[in-house]
Amino acid sequence: MFVTSNAWNFIKSIEDSDNEAAVKQLLLRQAAPSGFRWAFAGHVPSATTKPRDIASHVLFQEFPEGWAERYNTNHYALRDPVVRHLQRKRVPFTWDESYAAATRREDVKLVGGEAAAFGLRTGYVIPIQLVGGLLAAVSFGACHADLNPDALAELAFAANFAVGHLLRLRHKPQSRERLVTPRERECILWASEGKTDWEISVILGISPPTVAKHLLAARQRLDVMNRAHLIGEAIRRKIIR
């Protein structure tokens, strides 16, 4: 992926933030030009998650007054078409896409209808794959939004990096600096150019599983959560330029 100057400035601002509230505000500021004023970030609950466990999944909530209490008190996360769509999809999508795909139309009417009454009429959801197969997501909401593909792609990068930093703040990273190997650096460099594991394998003359192994090792060395966060961290540490 190509990292713009705006994304680079965001990376630097996030890395300078040492508390979760500052990270949340920076991410909301990044989303504002697209019209998004509200956001939710957290681990995606499974179909078997109990209502009492939902609160532990939340990283942050920034909702219109009254909506967070209503959403949480009524355990809407267990009925929300957006959450159900996240349990099946691993690519970004709009709220309308999740509503259209929902099989429980009563949930669309309930959760979507009540959200709209609070000014949350449209939204964009970014799934974030974490180490160990876990899934997190950021859901941005607005009354009206500009869904420009380039802006949304940059927002997805920002969300990945912000969530990675939030999790590092909650789980203190190892203090010892560890550099990547030359081959890991090559894989990160080509990944930052938007190449897939298969394309990188062709360029470097190694197998796709070996590329995946190098990228995973680099993520573990740099204590990051996913591919986008790896690229951002490698840029910040000047491993790649």
Side-chain angles (χ1 to χ4, degrees), residues 19 34 45 49 53 69 71-72 74 87-88 119 122 131 135 157 191-192 218 241:
N19 66 83
S34 294
T49 299
D53 297 327
E69 181 180 2
Y71 189 92
N72 296 332
N74 291 306
Q87 292 166 350
R88 301 188 300 270
T122 187
V131 171
L135 184 68
F157 178 85
S192 73
R241 296 177 182 273

Side-chain angles (χ1 to χ4, degrees), residues 67 70-71 74-84 95 99 104-118 120:
W67 176 241
R70 187 172 187 83
Y71 189 92
N74 291 306
H75 306 300
Y76 280 168
L78 301 179
R79 300 186 63 179
D80 193 339
V82 170
V83 176
R84 292 187 179 277
W95 289 3
Y99 295 161
R104 300 183 182 183
R105 304 312 302 170
E106 64 274 18
D107 288 347
V108 176
K109 183 176 181 180
L110 174 67
V111 181
E114 290 191 13
F118 280 85
L120 294 165

